[in-house]
Amino acid sequence: MADNKCGECGSRLPQGVARCGNCGAPVGGELRQCPACGKSIPVKSVFCPCCGKMVWNDMEEVPPVPEPKPDSSGIAVEPSGNAASDGELPAEELPASDSNDGDGGNDCVAKRHTALDRTITALLVAAVLILAAYSIYDWGGGGDETTNPYMEIVGEDTVDTPDPDRLNIEDASSIYGNALVHDNRIGDKSVSGPAAYAVVKGAPLIVGINYFSEEKQRPFFKLTQVRKIDGRWRCGEEKLRHEDGGVLVFDRDKLKLSGENVPRFVSIDGKTYFYFVYLHSPSRGVFGASGKHHLKLSLFNVESLDVVQLDYECEPVLVRGETLYYGKVADRRTTPEFKFLSAELDRLLIVYRPTPEEQRDAAPANASHKWQADNDSLLSLLRGGRQEVVFSMMRYGSPLFSRSDVIMDSRVETEAVIYYATYGGEVFGYDRVGKKFFIAYVDEHGAVPAIEINSNGTLHVVASGVDFDLDPVTGRATLN
């Protein structure tokens, strides 16, 4: 090293530096020749700083073989193993590159940077591949089964498997809910409900229900078709239906459908329908129902988007501790679709089908006897100190007592209900909105109870051995 210049590229060097800032060569270090590009490089280099080739093994184990040189006759002569004997200098004695040889120094730096870029790029690609593999594993639950073994929708990606012939309601509902979220179909505050899957005309199809139900706003539900497009589940055509007030119930447990194959696809006269059931109940704040409950068995035509319904007008009854619904079909027809729905109605577990004895007890003349049979054990619990019970309260379309049975002076009322006591120890009410009669209390000893109206609209009953408040909307009796 002389005049503080790099012996490799000739660049000026500041005092005290260990390496050239231009080519990276060590200051005052020993040099060797790269077997690939011929440039001088530090003896201990593993990679050539000019061309990026790994040179450690090449220089230590496999010495480079010079090209044959022609002699004076023009015939190539293989060199001997001793380079010095052929007039060649050993690599250690090669002169340093002249910085004035064109752009040789810059080429060295460019080659070194290119090799570094290639190395960094390779490392980045490897890192991305490792992260991607881990992400796939992680999204799959660490290799375990996912909650939906058939299809997971994550952003734009899907895990696709061959279309099965059948898919249970839970998995179909999961795919349906994911598709609604993915395609932004739930901005109307609706709730994702049950769905069903089928292969229709050779293509997989899911139809599901999402609904909105609040007492202060008009409820509605939508039927949405979800189809596979380019391997992904996407929302397609939908059918919107509104109901006039009340509350919509699609919960399969509340409808006693959790063990039933509902909803499902059915074929009627060559047409494909999506069969489903829901309950349209009057608003909870209105006694007796503005009037009636409607259990609606429905068929949705997947091609025409028409909906056919059987309307079962009914009222809730408490039978052996379970709330069932008893009523009649509002409008009977003779179409194939209606025959199918009628047959399904006969199988629904939520429908009350009284025995002949129960039908006799359900007659208005037997209202007192039925109330006692349904509520005797509950009344005993209330008398024994149970804070709260729910009485069974049947509604009747005709009067329960003659005028001579009623104590007319006992009348108490609210805007929705009129109550009377009878000489036989009963308390009965008349629903002004639903125009129905019902029993509120029967004293087993025949003692006439005292009744009055509380400020919150509930009925206060003081009878033999018991003092309670009764909410006529829910049948809930609370001990005082």
Side-chain angles (χ1 to χ4, degrees), residues 192-333:
S192 176
Y197 167 93
V199 177
V200 179
K201 294 184 178 180
L205 172 66
I206 290 177
V207 174
I209 305 160
N210 52 304
Y211 61 96
F212 174 82
S213 182
E214 288 187 3
E215 294 186 5
K216 295 182 179 180
Q217 298 185 46
R218 189 182 185 190
F220 67 84
F221 67 89
K222 289 193 292 188
L223 300 159
T224 305
Q225 298 186 6
V226 179
R227 300 180 183 273
K228 249 185 167 184
I229 301 175
D230 295 331
R232 302 187 182 103
W233 289 104
R234 291 291 180 262
C235 296
E237 296 178 300
E238 65 181 31
K239 178 74 173 184
L240 172 67
R241 286 180 70 96
H242 284 89
E243 297 282 1
D244 293 328
V247 178
L248 302 183
V249 178
F250 284 93
D251 187 282
R252 296 176 69 243
D253 289 334
K254 292 181 180 179
L255 296 174
K256 302 187 184 301
L257 295 173
S258 55
E260 305 296 317
N261 189 21
V262 181
R264 70 178 185 270
F265 285 90
V266 297
S267 179
I268 302 174
D269 278 1
K271 302 173 184 177
T272 301
Y273 291 94
F274 172 73
Y275 166 57
F276 63 101
V277 178
Y278 68 98
L279 179 68
H280 180 203
S281 297
S283 297
R284 298 183 184 91
V286 179
F287 171 69
S290 34
K292 303 173 182 177
H293 298 251
H294 297 267
L295 187 63
K296 295 191 176 182
L297 288 74
S298 312
L299 288 169
F300 171 56
N301 190 315
V302 300
E303 293 185 356
S304 68
L305 308 186
D306 293 330
V307 177
V308 179
Q309 291 187 318
L310 180 152
D311 184 3
Y312 183 70
E313 293 184 351
C314 52
E315 295 184 13
V317 294
L318 191 65
V319 180
R320 292 175 289 277
E322 286 189 303
T323 299
L324 304 179
Y325 290 84
Y326 179 65
K328 63 180 180 179
V329 176
D331 181 21
R332 289 192 175 274
R333 285 158 280 171

Side-chain angles (χ1 to χ4, degrees), residues 422-437:
T422 72
Y423 292 106
E426 298 97 347
V427 176
F428 74 94
Y430 175 68
D431 170 20
R432 286 171 156 168
V433 179
K435 302 187 185 304
K436 296 285 186 178
F437 297 86

Side-chain angles (χ1 to χ4, degrees), residues 65 71-72 85 117 142 154 173 179 217 253 266 295 321 337 378 380 390 393 408 427-428:
V65 180
D71 60 8
S72 58
S85 65
D117 291 343
V154 183
S173 300
Q217 298 185 46
D253 289 334
V266 297
L295 187 63
E337 291 81 2
L378 297 173
S380 296
V390 178
M393 299 171 63
M408 301 305 295
V427 176
F428 74 94

Side-chain angles (χ1 to χ4, degrees), residues 28 78 125 131 409 474:
E78 292 292 336
V125 169
L131 289 174
D409 292 341
T474 63

